[in-house]
Every structure is written in structure tokens, then in C-alpha cells.
Amino acid sequence: MTNSVLYPCDNRFRSSKLLNGIWKFKFDPNSVGESENWQLGLTDTIDMPVPGSFSDLFTTSKERDYVGDFWYERDFYMPKGWDGQNLLIRFGSLTHRAVVYCNGIKITSHEGGFLPVVADISGAIKPNEKNRLVVKLNNELSEETLPVGTTRTLKSGRKISLPYFDFYNYSGIQRNVWLLSIPVNSIQNYSTNIKLYEDYANIDYKVESDIGDINVELFDERGHKVSSTKGNNGVLKVHNPNLWKVRNAYLYTIRISLVKDNEVVDQYENKLGIRTVQVKDSQILINGEPVYLKGFGKHEDFDILGKSFNWSIVKRDFECMKWTNANCFRTSHYPYAEEWYQMADEEGFLIIDEVPAVGMMRSFQNFVDAGKGKYTRFFETSTIPQLKENHIEQVREMINRDKNHPSVFAWSMFNESETTSDAAFSYFKDIFEVARNTDPQSRPCTGALEKNSQPDTCKVYPLCDFICLNRYYGWYIDGGEAVEDAEDKFIDEMEKWKDKSLNKPFIFTEFGTDNLVSEHKLPSIMWSQEYQNEYLKMYFEIFDKYSFVQGELVWNFADFQTSQGIRRVDGNRKGIFTRERQPKDAAFLLKKRWENK
Ligand code: GCB
């Protein structure tokens, strides 16, 4: 029995029970927990919601900005009728690293804060008694783990985190926690790959399971069976398929059954969209048709909730994105909770799925340094082998988790890394290769390039199937009075890319200005809403001049929390929406442009 990361599914064979709610919580600043046997049970605890980011619930900075080890605990009973099954514990994520104990027994440990942690607890659980789940987490940043940053110890002995990235280091048990009951002989994983022909589609599939016979069936949205076949590997043929289209999604249901001695012993169902992805010349093709990407770089971020998963925020964000006529977003700068992808599948949104490889230029203000030629020999440091190991593992885990979502059309291997050295190239060559070897659908791979990654200096862009540029001409570079120079510099760069005749699509994965809802100025000045609109119009004019520009994802969908600093006014204010998800002026500009684009 492997620890399948398949999203929970309830049916005759499988059950799930959410363990969300109030858990016990305790900081462990001196890392004494294990030596004092905290894994057996915590004392002197406080209440803590799960899912939840702990930071913004507190009223002192010491607690909000806490860095180090911290512990969660809750008791649970195994539901009636679950005996004889395999029991798994499944965390949507544990940020950034964790050790899980059940009844004092170590069950698993995991590195990386944005992907599921699943473990078999069958051996540790007591069927008829109260069971205790204890989780030790740690949220320190380093140059060996993703996302990249460092941890500083103040004179008082208190640790603070110094992220090399521009979002607040929220942590905790931030996503759903489930107890799962799975048959002893079970289905563990499956993947699909779609090929379209004139009047039919072939869905090549692969199922990993315990020994037995596999049946695969496909149902349309009305529940009618449209195809079926047998075997762990095979092809489902669908005549005159309803395609999953951008902003016009059609979802079939795939049902996989495991049969032993003529009896079904396990069944797994999930949604399936029939669509293909291709990069051809300078276009991105979905089902063979070119699509221009319109949308946002986002964050999982909200007032009080931090990065906690919450369905209402997912719903509101999709409603706002639909209102602007967007069709795409990038999960900057880490894989989001799985439910985001489920809604994107339903709503026909495209996703660039990003691994948490952010901060790979050793800068506390990467957003400024990214434009100013800072070079830190990041890839020539002794921490690189360990970092690379973690990076590879998280690429694998992300693709394994998200590979069956029709919404996911591309993988992003990094955000704003240093790219100008041979060392950077050889590092990323291996990372891209892992992604390409892992994805059964061979989706395009890319990475978001900062301003130092220029046509004549960047060594990494040849690895990208399409080029993603983050550019801030007119904000970090030549903002305000100098904005006309910004425009010249931007056009100059674009001409250099054009001269390269790369015959690849270019997507702008970031461009934007900070602004305050309270600021209106005539003539415009930086931080006013008028300035944001003028800046966006300048960018749109330039995009429209170059036919290889095939998408625009504005930075950012909404204002979001960051570390404190002289350039951040209670966070990053580049939102097209406020942090409360109300439109700023630019939202109306985008809505109008994207209606006709
Ligand atoms: C960037 C980063 C992003 C920042 C953004 C900004 O280049 O990729 O994480 O938030 O700039 O607003 O400075």
C-alpha cells in the first residue's frame, strides 16, 4: 500500500472524515518538544483553527511573526465500520516542514509547505479508543529549502524570517485535514493523456493499483456512459467528444474500478476534461485553437485568514476574475490548495502551476534588485545540491498532484531566479528534465524571468517552451516623471527579443504598479489609481505591437500581505482588487480590454 495522493473521494469503498476545527497549539522556541515527549501530548496549549495560518490571529508581533518549531494536536475516533480498511491521514499541506505522530508513533515527515502530506496510520490507530494526532511543524527559511530565504536571530534570541520573496511567510496547517478509509486492495494513482481526431478523442490512461483487474468507464455530464474499457493501461475512445474549452468547460467523469475474484473491491471517480495543449510557433493552442491569456498572478492571501484554505475566497476570486473577462492565472509562487484547480476545471480557467522556487537570487527586495543588475552567484553556493534535491522533489510532487486537471496547461519551474550564469543553466536543465519526464501529458514548461534575464544575458530561456517575462518599466525602473524613458527601454528590450526570432509565445507574467484606493491625482503620480491605468495602457500598446506576445497576467489580482519594509504599505498594493476583493479603477480598464481581446 503506497500513500496515494489522490484527492479524497467518497463512495461504497472509500470514506473520508474532515478533521478540521479547533486544534491545540503550542510554540516551541527552544526546540525542546521531542526531548520532552510532546509527541505523546501537549500541555499548556492554546486553541488554534485548522485550516489556518496562525500569524494574523494574534495581537502581539512576537506571536504573529514567530519563527521556529510549533506543534498542533487533536484527538479523534475512528468512525464505525472503518475497521479492516487502510486508514490514511491526509494534510492538504503542512507549511513548511513537519513530523506527524499518531498515538506517539512517528508516522511520517515531509519537507515543503505547499503540497499534500499523506501517511498510512493503520498500524498506529486504536480502533475503539480515542486516538491522538500530534504534528510538529517548522517555518524557518533557508537557502536549502523552498521558498528560499534566511532566518535571523535577534539579540534577544528571537528568530525572525527574512524571505527572499515578496509575500508574508504565513505558516501552519493551512489546508484541509482528512482521515481516509481506503480498501486494503486499492487504486493508488492514475493519469491520462488526450489525443483528438476528427470526430473522436482517445484518452490514453494508466492506473496504478494493487493486483486485480481494472475497469475504466467514462460518463458524460448527464451521467450517461460514453466509453469503457479494461486494463491498467489502455485507451478510452470517445465519439464526438464535448471538449473542455477555455471559459466553456465540459467535464466528464472517469470511474476506475478494481476487481478481484469477480467482485469490485475499490472504485475511484474524478472529473475529466477532454482537451489538448500545444505550443506551436508563437502560439499556445488549446484543442488546436490559439488562446490569448488574460488574467493575473495571484496569491493565496486574505485578511485574518492569511493563506488558510477557504471555499468562499476561492468562489469570490473566480467571480471577480470572470467579471474582468479573464481566462487564466498563475499560482504564483507555489502550488495552491487543490480546490482552486477544481474550480478552474469547472470554470474553464487555464492555470500556470508554479513550484515554490522563489527567492533564487538572494535578495530581501527581489522586486527592486530584479531590475537593477544585482548578481549574487546564487547557483555557485554550497547550499545548491540540497536545494536542488528539494526542488526536484517538489516538481515531482506538484505534477503528480495536479497532472489530471484540464485547467493546468503549463508548469512553471521558478519565479525570478538568477539566470545569467552557466551554473544556473545546468541547475535548471535538470529541473526541466524532471518535469518533462514526470508529466504524462508533456505540458509546456516555463519559468518567470525577471528583468536581469535579458535577451543577450539570460541562459535559461532556451529551456522554456514559452517565455514568461516579469517587467516593471515605469515602476521600479524609471517610474513617475521618467516614465517616457521607461517606455523606450521597454520597447528596446522587446526589439531585442524580436530580433532573436525565437518563434515562441511570450507571456507577461507580471507587470503592475502599487496604488492606494484613496489616491486620485491629476496629473497622475505614482501610487495613484490614474498612474496604474496609464501604466497599464502603455503596456497594452506595446503588447499589441508584437504578435509573439500571447498573454498578459497582471501583477497582482489583489493586494496582499508581505514582510514589512519601506516599500510596502501594509503589504503589496499592486492589486487590481483590494485585499477585500473590491475593484480598483484598473479593474474596469481590464474588463473592457479583455472583453474584446
Ligand atoms: C516581482 C515578484 C513578485 C513581487 C512583485 C512586486 O518581481 O515576482 O513576487 O510581488 O515583483 O510587486 O514587486
Side-chain angles (χ1 to χ4, degrees):
M1 170 76 208
T2 56
N3 299 330
S4 162
V5 296
L6 287 178
Y7 192 82
C9 143
D10 282 65
N11 57 29
R12 270 193 308 135
F13 309 93
R14 301 175 160 243
S15 311
S16 68
K17 179 184 155 83
L18 273 172
L19 295 184
N20 296 348
I22 291 290
W23 290 43
K24 292 178 177 166
F25 181 89
K26 189 172 179 170
F27 290 125
D28 182 8
N30 300 317
S31 296
V32 295
E34 265 118 356
S35 62
E36 293 184 359
N37 280 327
W38 291 17
Q39 61 274 26
L40 300 177
L42 305 176
T43 52
D44 304 322
T45 57
I46 56 171
D47 288 346
M48 188 58 68
V50 169
S53 307
F54 67 75
S55 289
D56 288 353
L57 307 178
F58 288 108
T59 54
T60 70
S61 151
K62 211 173 132 191
E63 294 158 301
R64 179 192 60 206
D65 301 322
Y66 176 83
V67 174
D69 292 345
F70 51 101
W71 295 67
Y72 284 76
E73 174 190 312
R74 80 158 271 170
D75 293 340
F76 67 95
Y77 283 92
M78 185 180 99
K80 214 171 159 201
W82 283 24
D83 26 350
Q85 296 266 98
N86 275 333
L87 303 181
L88 305 185
I89 183 85
R90 188 186 201 277
F91 299 88
S93 64
L94 292 168
T95 315
H96 293 287
R97 57 196 59 80
V99 188
V100 181
Y101 298 92
C102 180
N103 296 326
I105 301 166
K106 181 176 164 186
I107 299 296
T108 193
S109 61
H110 187 261
E111 173 60 45
F114 301 97
L115 288 158
V117 182
V118 185
D120 192 333
I121 53 170
S122 313
I125 209 164
K126 298 181 212 143
N128 300 316
E129 291 171 44
K130 199 190 265 180
N131 293 282
R132 175 158 296 167
L133 201 58
V134 177
V135 188
K136 174 192 162 189
L137 286 97
N138 174 283
N139 64 352
E140 286 171 49
L141 301 173
S142 83
E143 295 193 5
E144 295 192 331
T145 51
L146 300 176
V148 188
T150 184
T151 300
R152 178 171 149 201
T153 306
L154 303 178
K155 275 199 194 130
S156 62
R158 186 159 79 89
K159 290 183 204 160
I160 58 167
S161 62
L162 296 175
Y164 298 168
F165 50 85
D166 187 34
F167 55 88
Y168 189 81
N169 188 33
Y170 285 116
S171 52
I173 304 182
Q174 304 184 117
R175 297 179 185 164
N176 287 328
V177 185
W178 284 273
L179 190 61
L180 304 176
S181 142
I182 309 280
V184 174
N185 291 299
S186 67
I187 297 154
Q188 284 120 32
N189 205 350
Y190 77 98
S191 60
T192 57
N193 187 24
I194 285 137
K195 293 190 188 115
L196 293 182
Y197 300 93
E198 205 162 308
D199 57 356
Y200 69 96
N202 275 348
I203 306 171
D204 294 344
Y205 70 86
K206 253 190 202 153
V207 176
E208 284 167 36
S209 67
D210 289 308
I211 294 174
D213 297 321
I214 290 291
N215 292 342
V216 184
E217 299 158 285
L218 194 75
F219 300 88
D220 67 14
E221 281 188 352
R222 286 176 305 160
H224 295 154
K225 196 192 285 187
V226 293
S227 185
S228 65
T229 186
K230 288 178 189 307
N232 280 74
N233 299 307
V235 183
L236 277 170
K237 187 166 179 171
V238 188
H239 291 282
N240 300 316
N242 281 306
L243 300 183
W244 185 94
K245 294 183 181 157
V246 181
R247 293 296 311 279
N248 184 14
Y250 188 97
L251 290 172
Y252 291 86
T253 297
I254 185 169
R255 180 192 288 164
I256 303 167
S257 307
L258 175 66
V259 181
K260 271 194 113 160
D261 306 324
N262 295 320
E263 210 186 301
V264 178
V265 294
D266 187 20
Q267 210 160 62
Y268 187 80
E269 274 187 19
N270 204 355
K271 299 278 174 73
L272 180 146
I274 298 185
R275 63 101 186 85
T276 59
V277 179
Q278 220 187 330
V279 170
K280 199 165 168 231
D281 301 327
S282 60
Q283 290 186 316
I284 291 170
L285 307 180
I286 302 294
N287 305 323
E289 304 204 343
V291 56
Y292 189 91
L293 308 181
K294 306 174 286 187
F296 305 95
K298 282 184 81 348
H299 267 300
E300 287 184 302
D301 175 273
F302 202 78
D303 199 15
I304 301 175
L305 297 178
K307 291 197 181 308
S308 330
F309 169 72
N310 179 292
W311 265 122
S312 298
I313 294 171
V314 179
K315 178 71 182 161
R316 173 70 184 178
D317 282 11
F318 272 95
E319 289 308 311
C320 290
M321 287 196 285
K322 280 156 57 181
W323 177 83
T324 63
N325 297 304
N327 62 14
C328 178
F329 63 94
R330 175 171 63 124
T331 68
S332 37
H333 298 305
Y334 38 84
Y336 294 179
E338 291 147 293
E339 293 80 2
W340 284 94
Y341 303 73
Q342 293 167 3
M343 198 167 276
D345 292 344
E346 298 280 349
E347 298 284 3
F349 268 75
L350 293 169
I351 291 180
I352 301 178
D353 205 359
E354 189 158 275
V355 78
V358 58
M360 302 174 86
M361 67 179 298
R362 197 175 286 116
S363 162
F364 300 126
Q365 42 167 9
N366 70 307
F367 40 90
V368 178
D369 291 331
K372 302 244 160 105
K374 182 176 168 114
Y375 181 69
T376 64
R377 299 187 176 276
F378 185 84
F379 289 96
E380 291 150 58
T381 316
S382 59
T383 46
I384 286 297
Q386 184 58 56
L387 180 69
K388 189 170 174 183
E389 214 175 278
N390 284 322
H391 197 156
I392 286 175
E393 180 53 26
Q394 291 187 45
V395 167
R396 287 205 180 106
E397 286 181 27
M398 172 178 81
I399 296 178
N400 186 35
R401 188 193 73 163
D402 296 337
K403 61 186 180 302
N404 291 322
H405 288 287
S407 53
V408 174
F409 82 101
W411 311 109
S412 167
M413 298 294 108
F414 61 88
N415 180 67
E416 300 202 338
S417 168
E418 239 167 46
T419 63
T420 53
S421 65
D422 291 334
F425 174 80
S426 65
Y427 179 97
F428 280 111
K429 192 169 133 309
D430 296 348
I431 301 285
F432 276 71
E433 196 175 302
V434 169
R436 296 193 213 282
N437 291 337
T438 309
D439 182 15
Q441 294 188 5
S442 310
R443 272 165 273 225
C445 295
T446 189
L449 298 170
E450 46 86 16
K451 153 82 174 32
N452 297 329
S453 305
Q454 287 287 306
D456 48 355
T457 55
C458 177
K459 301 237 163 114
V460 172
Y461 78 77
L463 295 169
C464 299
D465 295 307
F466 59 89
I467 313 281
C468 292
L469 300 182
N470 296 356
R471 291 296 181 268
Y472 289 95
Y473 294 105
W475 187 253
Y476 295 121
I477 299 161
D478 292 330
E481 294 93 325
V483 73
E484 59 199 66
D485 274 6
E487 188 168 2
D488 285 350
K489 285 183 187 164
F490 190 5
I491 293 174
D492 192 51
E493 182 187 345
M494 291 306 284
E495 286 297 313
K496 286 192 184 135
W497 285 115
K498 189 177 162 198
D499 289 346
K500 294 230 147 213
S501 306
L502 295 181
N503 203 24
K504 285 184 182 184
F506 277 60
I507 308 299
F508 279 83
T509 34
E510 284 187 26
F511 58 104
T513 70
D514 286 89
N515 64 99
L516 302 173
V517 241
S518 56
E519 266 342 276
H520 282 286
K521 283 281 175 181
L522 186 66
S524 75
I525 59 164
M526 293 174 87
W527 293 89
S528 69
Q529 298 206 51
E530 286 74 16
Y531 190 84
Q532 187 184 32
N533 272 1
E534 287 164 18
Y535 167 103
L536 291 174
K537 282 184 193 153
M538 169 176 105
Y539 273 64
F540 294 149
E541 264 179 39
I542 295 174
F543 296 165
D544 292 344
K545 277 195 201 135
Y546 297 92
S547 59
F548 55 84
V549 175
Q550 287 295 313
E552 47 196 60
L553 306 182
V554 186
W555 192 256
N556 186 284
F557 169 73
D559 294 346
F560 58 91
Q561 197 50 269
T562 63
S563 302
Q564 300 176 54
I566 52 171
R567 287 186 178 79
R568 292 292 174 255
V569 186
D570 185 17
N572 185 309
R573 298 302 187 110
K574 293 195 186 66
I576 296 300
F577 290 85
T578 62
R579 206 175 182 211
E580 297 73 35
R581 277 37 174 189
Q582 294 303 335
K584 297 188 196 166
D585 283 4
F588 298 90
L589 180 77
L590 295 180
K591 178 177 169 60
K592 199 155 164 233
R593 172 171 165 89
W594 291 345
E595 194 173 357
N596 307 310
K597 185 84 189 155

